[in-house]
Amino acid sequence: QWLSYSRCRSFPPERRKRAAAKHLIERYYHQLTEGCGNESCSNSWCASSVGFNRMDNNAAAVKALELYKVNAKLCDPHPSKKGTASAYLESSNSACSNRKMNHKDVHSVRDNFKDVNYLTEEKVYEILDICGEKEDYSPLIRVIGRVFSSAEGLVQSFRRSKPYTKEELKSLQGKDEDKDEDEKEAAACSATAMEEDSPTSSSSSRLGEGSSGENDVQKLAPDEVSVDIEAVRRVYERLLSNEKIEAAFLNALVYLSPNVECDLTYHNVYSRDPNYLNLFVIVMENSNLHSPEYLEIALPQFCKAMSKLPLAAQAKLARLWSHYSVEQIRRMVETFQQLITYKVISNEFNSRNLVNDDDAVVAATKCLKIVYYANVLGGDLDMEHNEEEDEEPIPESSELTLQELLGEERRNKKGPRVDPLETELGIRTNDCRRPLIPFEEFVNEPLNEVLEMDKDYTFFKVETENKFSFMTCPFILNAVTKNLGLYYDNRIRMYSERRITVLYSLVQGQQLNPYLRLKVRRDHIIDDALVRLEMIAMENPADLKKQLYVEFEGEQGVDEGGVSKEFFQLVVEEIFNPDIGMFTYDERTKLFWFNPSSFENEGQYTLIGIVLGLAIYNNCILDVHFPMVVYRKLMGKKGTFRDLADANPVLHQSLKELLEYEGSVEEDMMITFQISQTDLFGNPLMYDLRENGDKIPVTNENRKEFVAQYSEYMLNKSVEKQFKAFRRGFHMVTNESPLKYLFRPEEIELLICGSRNLDFLALEETTEYDGGYNRDSRIIKEFWETLHSFGEEQKRLFLQFTTGTDRAPVGGLGKLKMIIAKNGPDTDRLPTSHTCFNVLLLPEYSSKEKLRERLLKAITYAKGFGML
């Protein structure tokens, strides 16, 4: 608050005390920036003293606060400097300029605006014109300093006299060309529904007045505020080109932010006046927030203040910003991302100095979350097509859990975690088919590199207010980091089940198996595995959350990861064999889809879902080829016409041409609301999209409905029974996992299938050596030359031979820790591998040709364990 102390004497004692403190800090600041005017001053903290080291405005602002706290010496203003203390936040350059103005004129200009405690666009231009005529911008600088450092002043500034119209919302957004007319109306409907309790006074009637505006209450729609955003943008555009005026904005923000943070933390100011949100809207329109001058003090303090906004206020900001254009959303994202990156690279974060404890990084991440949901809200939303929840709950174990044995409730019984802001806004990330800017732009790679995920996961599970977890803001994490968090979650659940087993063995005196053991015959792998999993799913589903341990009958392999990898690979090969008939295979897209006319019962599909869940739970990659719509359906969204482009591109193109056809659909195409399909034996099956569909022609008027219902049948209704069983099995394993909270559908595919991009140069960079080999060994150089010369299929065979899967893990082959170890001198033996540990045992062959021949034979004919 930029009122003088004398004007605050009528305020309550606490407010007078605050005003007095600000008045003193103001004097310290001007003593540091302008000095007292006495050339022989001996005060070491006065700019007029000999030998004083000049400091920038930011540093002076901080130092002024420090001097106030220690009650440092204040100089009396020298006669030549009387009155300068009131020129708060005026840059030292403007104070020391040698403008040739009449002294009386300067004071008359300044006196004209001493009572301006809030701003309008017209008032700013009026002051700017006067200052331009006098060639002295100090009055404008003083007014900006006073208003922009005062929450009360800023809240009252740039008010609208009328609500937004549809056209004005469009101008804010600037991106409606990608939406149809219905979506445009929905985006603007809240503006037309807005009512006014009592009209606010016009800008002209409030010029120069100090009205608090408390009686001028405007009823706002949820996604609007009472500030004239376009006016704010025009004002910033005019003023930010002037360096001295820009410094005033910067310094004002330094003083504004702590007071705002205090108001929001202790005084519940937003609930008393929702217009308090105006100041955040106005400050965020400053296009220079990401500049280096703001990164040190001003922006971190402002982010800390914004992060204190209550949930309803954050949701209101997100709704407002969802109307912004792509460029404006991207500017805000870059502002917060730049602060996070700056703080990360300028500090040395490690396990003892956690990035989670950096207030600026945490606050900026919380602010970025608001922009993230604005990005989701403003994108292409599909709120309607949601999969129905399972009618029967996932069966819980009849056994007591460890937590219940210890008298504690299971934390996850309340259901999967949901972000509070999502709940407040009534949306989910998966509702967004296409955001305003790509989700990838919200990922901060420097942050991911310094994040100690084991500690962060602990904070995530404990849900304490004292420690922040970046897993609560998964949009900022890359797939590799999130996968690590999921790995910790899965391992802890496995250890928990193991401890329960120990308790039972002590209490009941019987030895229970701490692992999910599967003993299978290689020639009957489907029968053995699915029968065993079916029994477990029926008797005690909690056992599915134990660590998987696979044993092939008659083989010596001990499962420390590698045997499980081959087990999953063989199961998938069998299950997705088109001859079995559970899935159909499209030669054009190379993708599998549920067979709507399969003879297999629902239990078989449930078991397949269990296998996919187990693969994620045990960190194994599967060679599964589903269209993306399957992963969207697993995350709760139904398939729509848009998904046909991936699942059935030929049908999608045909329906698209139908929608775009300019002639008479009824007369030229002669199609009805009855469609035909072919069953497993090639027989046609008829299906009515509407009752008596064979009698309802498709016309230009109802073709959209035809396309929607055709897509609904192909992607949902025709495979409803099969998919529900499949999803149920998947959720048996993953229902308590943060999988759905952390990952988007495309990331789920990456988790299950791994990356299709095989970068063997990245693998070479990260490979380690043992047993006498090193990067410069002859045999190692020849090995990499040989491997790089292989074709794509041979490279996949090598990867399968060495790691147990032919896919790269999440993050690419650079994340795979492979070891090449020496296995004796030159010999005729083949190379061998420990797939559990990704170790290749390579003899020191005498020539490159022999190395190539032996390696090719090993990777081509390898199958099974213990056959050396």
Side-chain angles (χ1 to χ4, degrees), residues 314-377:
Q314 294 180 32
K316 194 170 181 180
L317 267 184
R319 291 190 189 101
L320 172 73
W321 289 341
S322 70
H323 292 292
Y324 282 19
S325 69
V326 170
E327 293 73 22
Q328 289 154 351
I329 291 288
R330 182 171 279 118
R331 176 183 60 79
M332 289 193 285
V333 170
E334 290 173 352
T335 295
F336 296 126
Q337 289 282 38
Q338 193 157 336
L339 174 58
I340 294 169
T341 302
Y342 169 73
K343 288 295 181 181
V344 166
I345 64 177
S346 60
N347 289 280
E348 294 185 5
F349 292 114
N350 50 46
S351 57
R352 289 190 296 271
N353 179 29
L354 297 176
V355 68
N356 306 67
D357 295 329
D358 189 289
D359 290 341
V361 174
V362 169
T365 303
K366 290 179 178 178
C367 295
L368 189 61
K369 180 192 280 192
I370 302 174
V371 185
Y372 174 79
Y373 281 108
N375 184 54
V376 169
L377 272 173

Side-chain angles (χ1 to χ4, degrees), residues 797 801 830 855-864 867:
L797 286 173
F801 174 76
L830 298 174
L855 185 60
L856 276 174
K857 184 170 287 188
I859 65 177
T860 305
Y861 298 105
K863 200 165 219 181
M867 298 179 291

Side-chain angles (χ1 to χ4, degrees), residues 150-367:
S150 162
E152 294 87 349
L154 207 52
V155 165
Q156 291 302 315
S157 296
F158 305 106
R159 286 292 189 93
R160 293 184 61 82
S161 57
K162 294 185 293 184
Y164 285 106
T165 64
K166 292 181 185 179
E167 290 71 21
E168 287 169 327
L169 277 176
K170 289 178 187 177
S171 71
L172 280 179
Q173 194 172 25
K175 56 180 173 53
D176 283 318
E177 63 273 11
D178 295 330
K179 296 192 174 185
D180 60 30
E181 290 301 317
D182 292 336
E183 289 176 306
K184 292 182 186 180
E185 274 200 32
C189 67
S190 56
T192 60
M194 181 173 152
E195 298 176 356
E196 290 180 278
D197 188 26
S198 60
T200 57
S201 53
S202 65
S203 300
S204 59
S205 66
R206 293 185 296 169
L207 289 179
E209 297 177 6
S211 168
S212 65
E214 291 176 349
N215 297 322
D216 298 328
V217 179
Q218 206 173 24
K219 287 188 178 179
L220 302 174
D223 55 353
E224 287 187 34
V225 290
S226 57
V227 67
D228 188 341
I229 298 172
E230 289 296 338
V232 174
R233 289 174 182 169
R234 289 191 294 268
V235 167
Y236 273 126
E237 190 176 359
R238 287 279 299 273
L239 299 185
L240 287 178
S241 57
N242 187 313
E243 291 183 6
K244 297 169 186 174
I245 298 177
E246 183 190 2
F249 285 118
L250 172 64
N251 294 327
L253 189 58
V254 171
Y255 278 85
L256 171 73
S257 300
N259 292 331
V260 172
E261 182 182 357
C262 179
D263 286 343
L264 291 169
T265 306
Y266 301 109
H267 302 304
N268 200 21
V269 65
Y270 176 76
S271 62
R272 297 201 305 271
D273 181 13
N275 287 318
Y276 198 81
L277 206 60
N278 288 9
L279 71 87
F280 292 97
V281 177
I282 292 171
V283 171
M284 284 305 299
E285 288 299 327
N286 184 341
S287 59
N288 286 0
L289 280 180
H290 65 281
S291 61
E293 294 81 9
Y294 285 84
L295 291 178
E296 189 64 40
I297 298 175
L299 187 56
Q301 287 187 351
F302 179 71
C303 287
K304 284 164 67 177
M306 187 188 290
S307 68
K308 302 295 183 182
L309 280 170
L311 201 59
Q314 294 180 32
K316 194 170 181 180
L317 267 184
R319 291 190 189 101
L320 172 73
W321 289 341
S322 70
H323 292 292
Y324 282 19
S325 69
V326 170
E327 293 73 22
Q328 289 154 351
I329 291 288
R330 182 171 279 118
R331 176 183 60 79
M332 289 193 285
V333 170
E334 290 173 352
T335 295
F336 296 126
Q337 289 282 38
Q338 193 157 336
L339 174 58
I340 294 169
T341 302
Y342 169 73
K343 288 295 181 181
V344 166
I345 64 177
S346 60
N347 289 280
E348 294 185 5
F349 292 114
N350 50 46
S351 57
R352 289 190 296 271
N353 179 29
L354 297 176
V355 68
N356 306 67
D357 295 329
D358 189 289
D359 290 341
V361 174
V362 169
T365 303
K366 290 179 178 178
C367 295

Side-chain angles (χ1 to χ4, degrees), residues 358-563:
D358 189 289
D359 290 341
V361 174
V362 169
T365 303
K366 290 179 178 178
C367 295
L368 189 61
K369 180 192 280 192
I370 302 174
V371 185
Y372 174 79
Y373 281 108
N375 184 54
V376 169
L377 272 173
D380 188 356
L381 292 179
D382 175 13
M383 306 280 287
E384 299 176 359
H385 301 92
N386 299 316
E387 288 280 357
E388 295 178 5
E389 296 293 331
D390 292 321
E391 294 179 3
E392 300 178 19
I394 301 297
E396 291 193 10
S397 169
S398 58
E399 310 282 3
L400 289 173
T401 65
L402 174 65
Q403 290 87 348
E404 289 164 336
L405 281 171
L406 298 176
E408 299 176 6
E409 288 296 323
R410 179 181 280 182
R411 182 178 294 274
N412 288 300
K413 278 190 175 179
K414 62 186 178 183
R417 186 191 291 249
V418 179
D419 191 281
L421 190 53
E422 269 194 6
T423 306
E424 182 74 21
L425 290 167
I427 59 155
R428 298 176 299 171
T429 297
N430 291 328
D431 292 332
C432 186
R433 299 301 300 252
R434 187 183 63 187
L436 291 178
I437 63 175
F439 289 123
E440 290 74 19
E441 294 193 26
F442 287 85
V443 175
N444 189 289
E445 292 295 346
L447 173 66
N448 281 265
E449 291 173 9
V450 301
L451 184 60
E452 299 287 336
M453 204 57 198
D454 54 343
K455 304 286 196 311
D456 193 83
Y457 173 77
T458 304
F459 302 151
F460 178 73
K461 294 301 291 182
V462 173
E463 297 185 56
T464 174
E465 292 183 3
N466 299 327
K467 290 290 185 179
F468 175 79
S469 168
F470 288 95
M471 284 179 70
T472 61
C473 297
F475 56 83
I476 204 170
L477 306 177
N478 58 33
V480 175
T481 305
K482 287 190 279 192
N483 189 41
L484 190 55
L486 186 65
Y487 171 82
Y488 286 128
D489 187 79
N490 294 341
R491 283 291 176 263
I492 287 173
R493 291 182 194 281
M494 291 177 184
Y495 298 151
S496 176
E497 294 295 333
R498 201 174 297 174
R499 289 195 298 271
I500 291 171
T501 301
V502 174
L503 283 175
Y504 272 112
S505 65
L506 293 173
V507 174
Q508 298 181 352
Q510 64 185 66
Q511 184 63 44
L512 299 181
N513 195 339
Y515 298 98
L516 172 59
R517 284 188 177 272
L518 295 179
K519 187 172 183 178
V520 296
R521 295 167 293 175
R522 189 176 288 275
D523 295 336
H524 300 82
I525 191 168
I526 296 298
D527 294 337
D528 293 351
L530 298 191
V531 167
R532 174 72 179 134
L533 288 173
E534 186 173 19
M535 290 176 58
I536 293 170
M538 291 173 61
E539 294 174 2
N540 193 9
D543 280 358
L544 295 172
K545 296 181 174 66
K546 293 180 179 179
Q547 185 173 350
L548 182 64
Y549 189 94
V550 178
E551 181 182 347
F552 284 104
E553 196 172 274
E555 298 184 17
Q556 303 171 15
V558 177
D559 190 4
E560 294 192 31
V563 183

